[in-house]
Amino acid sequence: MQTRVRFAPSPTGFLHVGGARTALFNWLFARSTGGKFLLRIEDTDRERSDPKYTADILESLSWLGLNWDEPPVYQSSRFDRYATVANELMAAHLAYRCDCKPEVLDAIRQRCQKEKRPFRYPGTCREKKEIAAPYVVRIKVPKEGATAFKDLIRGDISFQNKDLDDWVILRTDGSPTYNFSVVIDDHDQGITHVLRGDDHINNTPKQILLYQALGFEVPNFAHLPMILGTDRTKLSKRHGAASTLEYRTMGYLPQALVNFLVRLGWSYGDQEIFTVEELKRFFSLERVGKANAVFNPEKLEWISGIFMRDTPSAELASYLDQYFAVEMAFTKDVERERLEKGIAITQGKIKKIPELIAQLKCLFGEDPAYEQAGLKAEDAKKMFQVLTAVKDAVGSVSAFSKDDLDQRVRAVAAQFNEKLAPVAQAIRFAVTGGKVSPGLFEMLEVQGKQTVLRRVENAIRWLGELGGSKG
Ligand code: GLU
């Protein structure tokens, strides 16, 4: 039998990373079992649902590479189906209308609270003949027995039916409740495995009783462990967890976020870094743990650095085109090959895209504006002389390769009786305006003769104006 799983978000907010983890596990389960990954937008709450959130969810999944196999199902277009099923249940005396007034139910709720026992609907309307509008529809839950299931992650779980009450399946406005529509849709979409957060464990017995009442086959259930912050409380913004697309803006690569999210609950020996192909091969529910997972932003930084380093530079260049075109506008006249080389010499030392862009800006952006801060007069003078010599030395390098440049610059150092480091530092200052850069010679090669000479000349002029030429 082909496995069919679904991700079923409610579009009442941006896709949180916890939701993205649920989507990822479903997707990997489908991909690792040759099954289908489906999407269902649970937009029954007309007030809180917003198309902008649906758009955000779809965009987030696409960015992460979690492609779905059939058109998404929207619950808002299935209200007739839910009403039909509710009518069938009522006709079979498995559900009933209830016109209990909210005030009456609230009073019972308050009494329960005072007596420290959970609220249960007392079943007032179960056998009532005359029901006046407005009314809700409730399911009849057996008062005896237990409802049990084998969770594929947590093992045997059982609930006493007496602890469940006759819950509402349709509200007074005819809209379905989550536990009702989810069962009908999972059945209609042919879902074989329900993988979701463990905050839904308590809903599962209600749903199973409904499957049974409807004569539907009960799917398998697997409840994923909770995600906690490093202080062991439920994950929230406080822990630096953001909506999925914010991670894109912050400059994480989707592969890095996927790799980080997959380890929130799943493991494969000691391996920490996985390609997507590996994940598709290795993923299995047996390797999903029961223990809560901890969301550690430092680990994400670490993973991010590894993916920055290991992603081919041409791929990074296309990624920048796709998502950071505005920030990369300064490279519009830089030839592709040069840009990719610039990325290649930079990507090993950075963790996120903004750092990459900042470095590329040093290479290809506007010529640096030099700052005097901390530069002593005698150093400025020395720099002036060194750079003047460098200008002559590199100006005659025709191939402008890093090896040739290395040779010429070393010769300048020798001429001044200096080690390479101070000379390199002067050149670095001239071509970047700062003290840190990728490897000097490969950087000069990537910048090219024209840029390097122009910047060296700029620096000489600036140092000259500073007084470096005097004495
Ligand atoms: N819409 C529900 C949620 O966002 C879906 C839960 C489920 O997967 O059954 O939590």
Side-chain angles (χ1 to χ4, degrees), residues 6 8-10 40 42 178 182 186 194-196 199-200 207:
R6 68 357 179 232
S10 309
R40 184 169 67 238
E42 303 212 321
Y178 155 70
V182 76
D186 281 341
V194 173
L195 274 57
R196 59 186 172 199
D199 47 332
H200 284 292
Q207 294 174 14

Side-chain angles (χ1 to χ4, degrees), residues 302-344:
W302 173 72
I303 294 176
S304 180
I306 291 174
F307 278 89
M308 280 295 164
R309 187 192 67 198
D310 294 346
T311 302
S313 49
E315 209 178 294
L316 283 178
S318 315
Y319 186 81
L320 291 171
D321 282 346
Q322 197 175 353
Y323 297 115
F324 291 87
V326 173
E327 293 85 342
M328 290 290 290
F330 67 91
T331 58
K332 69 177 190 320
D333 297 325
V334 179
E335 309 94 301
R336 195 68 178 181
E337 196 188 344
R338 200 183 281 282
L339 176 67
E340 285 172 16
K341 275 193 187 153
I343 293 173

Side-chain angles (χ1 to χ4, degrees), residues 279-436:
L279 290 178
K280 285 191 205 167
R281 259 187 293 133
F282 299 164
F283 188 83
S284 73
L285 290 179
E286 287 85 63
R287 291 178 181 274
V288 178
K290 294 189 195 104
N292 294 331
V294 177
F295 184 98
N296 180 354
E298 282 171 25
K299 185 165 175 192
L300 174 58
E301 288 296 295
W302 173 72
I303 294 176
S304 180
I306 291 174
F307 278 89
M308 280 295 164
R309 187 192 67 198
D310 294 346
T311 302
S313 49
E315 209 178 294
L316 283 178
S318 315
Y319 186 81
L320 291 171
D321 282 346
Q322 197 175 353
Y323 297 115
F324 291 87
V326 173
E327 293 85 342
M328 290 290 290
F330 67 91
T331 58
K332 69 177 190 320
D333 297 325
V334 179
E335 309 94 301
R336 195 68 178 181
E337 196 188 344
R338 200 183 281 282
L339 176 67
E340 285 172 16
K341 275 193 187 153
I343 293 173
I345 63 170
T346 311
Q347 65 186 116
K349 297 193 192 88
I350 49 128
K351 297 263 197 288
K352 290 184 299 232
I353 296 285
E355 298 159 54
L356 177 63
I357 295 178
Q359 297 259 357
L360 294 174
K361 224 175 216 155
C362 284
L363 295 181
F364 305 120
E366 282 177 20
D367 288 346
Y370 305 107
E371 278 174 36
Q372 199 181 342
L375 187 62
K376 291 195 213 110
E378 59 190 276
D379 292 340
K381 184 177 150 193
K382 187 74 176 273
M383 258 183 168
F384 178 91
Q385 291 163 346
V386 166
L387 289 176
T388 306
V390 165
K391 186 187 113 184
D392 296 338
V394 304
S396 55
V397 179
S398 51
F400 221 74
S401 74
K402 64 178 192 299
D403 295 336
D404 284 345
L405 290 162
D406 188 321
Q407 263 180 22
R408 302 283 176 125
V409 171
R410 275 177 206 282
V412 172
Q415 181 191 328
F416 281 85
N417 233 343
E418 279 285 10
K419 292 215 171 66
L420 179 63
V423 177
Q425 206 56 3
I427 303 175
R428 190 170 283 120
F429 174 80
V431 298
T432 69
K435 289 188 176 145
V436 281

